[in-house]
Amino acid sequence: MSTSLDDNARVQRLSSELLGAMAYGELSAFGRLSFDSRYAPTLHDRAVLAKIAVGAYGNFAMISSRLSEMGLDAEEAMLPFQRSFDHFHERTKPADWFESVMKAYVIDTVSSDFYRMVASFLDAGTQLFVQKVASADQATEVLRTLLRRALADDPRLSSRLALWGRRLVGEALTQAQRVGMEHPDLGPLLKAGGDARAAVRALTAELAERHGRRMSGLGLTA
């Protein structure tokens, strides 16, 4: 009985940490995308990025409501992740529109992969909720379309965006490792047990592989 209660408490703690990370990620995305829309070459493109920003805020509101239903304060759940997330974005400031779109695409897809992979260790209700928030959606496809259009219009962008994409994913994977080590329950440890570092390395290796396939789909080298 005691073991079962301990396991339930751990799953509850993992759920709150995961949702806290997701909430701050979406709130950060809202601010970042709103700010980066100033790089847009046309008003149409600016409106497209603004719409994606609104979607990120909608996700933030949905996660905050879920945390409230769990009896948790959204701000308290987000605070442990604020510093590391903010530092990540300070290190990866885009220089122009194309880098902004690439950053939005990489962060959207890599973070969604991370959240879904961690959620696989949680209860069915939380898994479904995370799938709803983190699954590839219209925003992901819009960003992919914008990148493909930019690369088709100016093939010279390929090498620059490939290099930028590699830097972004490197920083993102370092961030995932840091989060995994600072918050061990967020690593894939509930079922596997064992060494936390090895588990986090395996997690980031899978994230890198998925990212590589997406970059190949854009005709870029990961």
Side-chain angles (χ1 to χ4, degrees), residues 9-15 17-18 118 121-122 179-190 196:
R10 193 179 188 195
V11 169
Q12 176 74 4
R13 186 168 65 249
L14 174 55
S15 298
E17 288 195 341
L18 177 60
V118 173
F121 296 95
L122 301 177
V179 169
M181 295 310 301
E182 291 177 355
H183 306 270
D185 284 342
L186 286 179
L189 308 176
L190 293 176

Side-chain angles (χ1 to χ4, degrees), residues 64-97:
S64 295
S65 295
R66 178 79 175 193
L67 285 164
S68 294
E69 291 170 3
M70 296 168 62
L72 301 170
D73 180 79
E75 184 172 357
E76 289 182 3
M78 290 189 292
L79 279 175
F81 303 96
Q82 182 177 8
R83 171 184 269 184
S84 61
F85 278 46
D86 288 353
H87 284 178
F88 167 79
H89 290 301
E90 281 295 315
R91 293 194 305 270
T92 56
K93 290 182 178 179
D96 59 18
W97 165 252

